[in-house]
Amino acid sequence: MDEGRGVDEAATREVLARVVREHAGRLAASLVSLLGDFSAAEDLVQDAVETALKRWPVEGIPDRPDAWLLVVARRRGLDVLRRESTYRAKLTQLTWPVPAEPDDRLRLVFTCCHPALSRPAQIALTLRVVCGLSTAQIAAAFLVPETTVAQRITRAKKKIAEAGIPYRIPAGGELPERLGEVLAVVYLLFNEGYLSSTAERAQARDLVDDAEWLAALLVGLLPGEPEAAGLLALIRLHRARGAARFDDAGRLVLLADQDRTRWDRAAIGEAIALLTRTARTHRRPGPYQLQAAIVACHAEAESFAATDWRQIVVLYDLLLGLAPSPVTRLHRAVALRYAVGPEAALAELEELGGALERYPLFHATRAELLRDLGRGAEARTSDARALELTANPAQQALLEERLRWD
Amino acid sequence: MKYVLMFVETEQFARDLEAMGEAEREAAYAAVGRWFAEHADKITHHTHLYPVHTATTVRLDGGEPVVTDGPFVEGKEVVSGFAEVEVADLDEALVLARSWPACPIVEIRPAS
C-alpha cells in the first residue's frame, strides 16, 4: 500500500512539475512585459506557483492551468501592489487568454542567464523564473538551505533592477556569446542532476527533466542555432542510457560493464537523427554537437569492444580545436587507451598532472592505465588520491571497491 | 541610465606602457582619443587620474582626521580614470566597455 502511494505521489509530482513548467515561464514573460518590472512580476508568478503546488494535489489540476495561474497572480498583484497604482491599472487589463504573441520566454531566459549575474544566480533564477520551480524545490535539488537560494534570488533580482540588466534578446552580434552563456547554464543543470542522481536520490532527476525541457525550449525558439540542438541531443543520449548506470544496489556501473539491453534504443535513434539533421542543415559544428557525436559513438556500439574508438579520438581532436580544455584531453586519453594502447594514453595523461591535480577522475583514470601496464603499487596510490578528492557517493563506492580488490 | 566606467590599470600594463617607444605610445593614446570621439554622444563626463604616487589619503574614522601618503588601498590594480556615460541599459554600457582600447580592466557601476 505504502509503496503504491509513493508511486502515486511521484507521478503526481511529475505531472505537477510538467504543468507548472509549461505555464509559469509564459506567465512570467507576459507579466514582465506588462509591468516592466522583472522582480515584481516574478514575485507574483512565484506566489501563484506556490499556491498551485499546495492546492492542485488536493483539488486536482484545473482544466486551464494557465488561466488559473493568471487569475491567482493577478489577484495577488492587485492585493500587494496597492500602492503602485500604475501596476494595478496594468494588471486589471490582464485577462485570459493572453493575446497570442511570439513566445516571450526567450527574453526571460537571456535575462536570467545574463553574464553580469554569477553562475549560481543564473541557475537559481532560470529554474525559478523559466521553469517555475519553487525556492524549496531548488534548495532540495542542490542540497543547500532554502535561505541560501532565497538570498541568491533576491540579490540577483536586485542586481537586474539596479544595474539595468535589460529584458531583451541580444542583438545579432552579441547572440553567439550570450547563447553560449545560456547553454552553459542548461548543461551545468543537466550535469548536476545527472551526476548526483543515485537510486535513492530520485528527486534529483527533476533537474535532468528541467535541463532537457530547457534545451528543447531553446531549440524551438532558436531554430537557427545548431548548438542548442547539439545540447538537446547530448542530454537525450545520456538519458537514454540512464537505466544502465546503476545496479540494483544503487552502485555506479562503468560504461564497459553496463547492460546495453537496458539502453533505450529508440530514444538513442531519435537523438542521433536530431544530431544528423542539425549537422546537415547548418554545417556549423560546435562543442555540444561534437560531444553529442562522441556520446552517439558509444550509444551506437553493440558492445564496449565494438566501440569505434578511432572515430572518438578524431571527434575529441575536433573538440579540442574548438574548445581546448585539460578535462577534454583526459577524455581523449581514455579513448586513446582503446584506440592505440595504455602506454600512449598514459603519456598523454602525464602532461595533464599539473592542471588536473585536484580532479578525481584524472587519478582514477591514471590508476586504470597503471594497472593495465602492471604497475599495481602506483595504481593504488592514484586510486587512493582519487578517493580523497571525490565527494560523490557512487564514485566513492566504486573506488573503494577497486581498492579492496587489489 | 547613468553608469560610471572605472578604468583600472595593472602593474603589467604600466610596465608595458613604459617600455613602449615614442611612436607606439602615441598610437596608444590616439586609440584612446578615438574611443572618446566615437562615443562622445554617450559620454557625459570623464576624468583622467594622475598616477597613484601622487595620491594622498585622509582617514576620518578615528578621532582626528589622519593624512597619509599614497592611495587608500595598496594594490596591484589601481583606478586610473572614470567616464560617466548615459545609455539605455547595462548591455549598452558593456558594448562601450568591451571596445575600450587601453588599460585591461573596466568596472561598470550604475550611478545617480
Side-chain angles (χ1 to χ4, degrees), chain A residues 24 50 99 109 121 137-138 234 258 263-264 269 282 335 344 379 390:
Chain A
E50 281 182 1
V109 173
Q137 286 172 327
I138 299 170
L234 177 63
Q258 284 179 12
W263 290 2
D264 183 344
H282 298 280
T390 183

Side-chain angles (χ1 to χ4, degrees), chain A residues 13 15 62 138 157 181 354:
Chain A
R13 227 185 11 244
V15 174
I138 299 170
K157 289 201 298 188
E181 197 88 7

Side-chain angles (χ1 to χ4, degrees), chain A residues 171-239:
Chain A
E174 295 165 68
L175 190 66
E177 198 191 323
R178 293 285 306 276
L179 179 63
E181 197 88 7
V182 174
L183 296 178
V185 166
V186 177
Y187 186 53
L188 268 178
L189 210 54
F190 167 73
N191 265 335
E192 178 68 27
Y194 193 68
L195 297 178
S196 68
S197 69
T198 62
E200 307 99 76
R201 279 198 57 208
Q203 77 264 51
R205 276 200 49 200
D206 283 352
L207 285 186
V208 177
D209 283 344
D210 287 311
E212 181 179 341
W213 180 85
L214 277 167
L217 178 72
L218 291 169
V219 172
L221 297 177
L222 291 165
E225 296 299 330
E227 279 293 88
L231 178 56
L232 179 61
L234 177 63
I235 291 174
R236 288 189 171 158
L237 282 165
H238 277 306
R239 294 198 82 178

Side-chain angles (χ1 to χ4, degrees), chain B residues 80-91:
Chain B
S80 60
F82 301 91
E84 189 187 283
V85 301
E86 184 65 47
V87 291
D89 53 44
L90 183 60
D91 282 3

Side-chain angles (χ1 to χ4, degrees), chain A residues 237-255:
Chain A
L237 282 165
H238 277 306
R239 294 198 82 178
R241 301 176 305 150
R245 283 181 72 224
F246 295 98
D247 65 12
D248 295 337
R251 279 173 308 208
L252 195 63
V253 182
L254 293 180
L255 182 62

Side-chain angles (χ1 to χ4, degrees), chain A residues 350-369:
Chain A
E350 300 301 2
E351 286 177 29
L352 301 172
L356 297 176
E357 163 53 30
R358 303 204 52 77
Y359 192 66
L361 220 56
F362 167 78
H363 297 282
T365 308
R366 191 161 178 274
E368 280 176 39
L369 296 174

